[in-house]
Amino acid sequence: MKKTLALPLLAVVGGAAAFALRLLQNRTGFEPGTGLPVPGNLPGMALLAVLAALAAAVCLLVRRMPPESGDGPAFPGAFAAWDPAPLMVPVAGVFLMALSGLLDLAGGIGLSQSLAAADPYGGVAALLAADAFSPRLRVVMGALTLLSAAGLFRCTALCRGGKHAAAFSGGAWLLMPPAVLVVRLVLTYRADSVNPALEAYYVELLALVFFTLGFYRLSSFAFRAGRTRVFSVYAALSVTLSLASLADAGIPWASRLLYIGGALVLLGFLGLRLADAALPAASQPDEPTDGSK
């Protein structure tokens, strides 16, 4: 197994284990009548132990990476993909994020009621189920999510062939996802904080926190301030926590698609960055010039 795959695989496998434990905790760790946490619930304690162990393992793997000093690698050269196949992962994540924005828009403008009336099976109603946000906020968040997805798609396309970093001027596009995620984090916390059981929503909040930090560290490469070690930690842990949060039944589909899509985007960029960092500079293919295009 290539060393560059160790960290992404650890994030995915750890996320699958955390998902299973979170699912068991949701089924056995809360009282049916009150929703209060059951003291000493084994899956709940095991989940905390697994998350702590995964965080330690991620930090140990990252410490083996060579340190960086001075100006960091620039975007998109730091994520150059000479083969289009690795780009399929972040592109798939971008499309899921766009679908999440569309679902929020559809729910916010009231399409859920009309579509649900025409759907006898209730599938559309489940997809467009209302969340803790008001209809107006859903419209705003849906529009911002769509803009973020469009910007990420443009930036991902620039990674094909390792185009020259000097030609990149889309730092604002990479800054939009963390800004949108900060707003979503605040709104989600305001909605969930009325629940006296912190165990019921802490996984989703942690996923949003690390998502925000992961996308923020991704955007720093656009300003030559990126650090591979720091980005790797936040990206790997955001993937793990996003998978674990999918076990929470109260999360609407718009948010689920956002978490899955964001995890794929960060996972894809993490793989591209690790592969590029492990490739000796002398063995990297020459960047295409204007005359060769």
Side-chain angles (χ1 to χ4, degrees):
M1 182 181 64
K2 295 182 179 179
K3 293 182 179 181
T4 56
L5 295 178
L7 188 57
L9 282 178
L10 176 63
V12 173
V13 173
F19 171 85
L21 290 173
R22 181 62 172 173
L23 193 62
L24 288 174
Q25 182 187 15
N26 288 334
R27 292 181 176 180
T28 63
F30 300 94
E31 298 178 359
T34 63
L36 295 175
V38 176
N41 179 255
L42 185 58
M45 293 188 296
L47 175 61
L48 291 174
V50 166
L51 291 178
L54 285 171
V58 167
C59 292
L60 287 176
L61 285 177
V62 168
R63 282 181 61 87
R64 297 181 180 180
M65 297 179 184
E68 297 172 329
S69 59
D71 290 340
F75 191 95
F79 304 91
W82 305 100
D83 182 2
L87 290 177
M88 294 177 63
V89 176
V91 168
V94 168
F95 279 110
L96 288 178
M97 291 178 65
L99 182 57
S100 168
L102 289 174
L103 290 180
D104 269 334
L105 277 176
I109 62 180
L111 285 180
S112 57
Q113 296 178 355
S114 58
L115 291 176
D119 178 21
Y121 300 103
V124 175
L127 284 176
L128 300 178
D131 52 20
F133 304 153
S134 66
R136 182 176 299 179
L137 283 177
R138 291 193 71 181
V139 171
V140 173
M141 295 304 300
L144 291 177
T145 302
L146 282 174
L147 285 176
S148 299
L152 286 171
F153 182 80
R154 175 181 179 271
C155 296
T156 303
L158 292 176
C159 296
R160 175 69 176 95
K163 294 184 179 181
H164 199 275
F168 180 74
S169 58
W173 286 109
L174 286 177
L175 281 172
M176 181 170 290
V180 174
L181 286 170
V182 167
V183 177
R184 182 176 286 271
L185 172 62
V186 172
L187 295 176
T188 302
Y189 176 73
R190 288 185 60 185
D192 291 342
S193 59
V194 297
N195 189 338
L198 179 62
E199 291 87 343
Y201 59 88
Y202 81 93
V203 175
E204 184 183 8
L205 289 183
L206 284 178
L208 282 171
V209 168
F210 279 92
F211 262 142
T212 304
L213 293 172
F215 278 105
Y216 173 73
R217 287 298 177 176
L218 175 64
S219 68
S220 64
F221 286 93
F223 307 96
R224 301 191 68 91
R227 290 292 182 265
T228 303
R229 284 181 165 184
V230 180
F231 169 70
S232 299
V233 170
Y234 292 141
L237 293 180
S238 66
V239 171
T240 297
L241 289 166
S242 67
L243 293 177
S245 68
L246 297 179
D248 292 345
I251 299 178
W253 270 103
S255 297
R256 290 177 184 272
L257 291 175
L258 178 65
Y259 298 158
I260 298 173
L264 288 176
V265 171
L266 289 177
L267 186 67
F269 276 109
L270 175 62
L272 290 172
R273 179 66 202 127
L274 294 179
D276 184 81
L279 189 63
S283 64
Q284 293 183 3
D286 294 333
E287 294 178 350
T289 60
D290 294 337
S292 61
K293 294 181 182 178

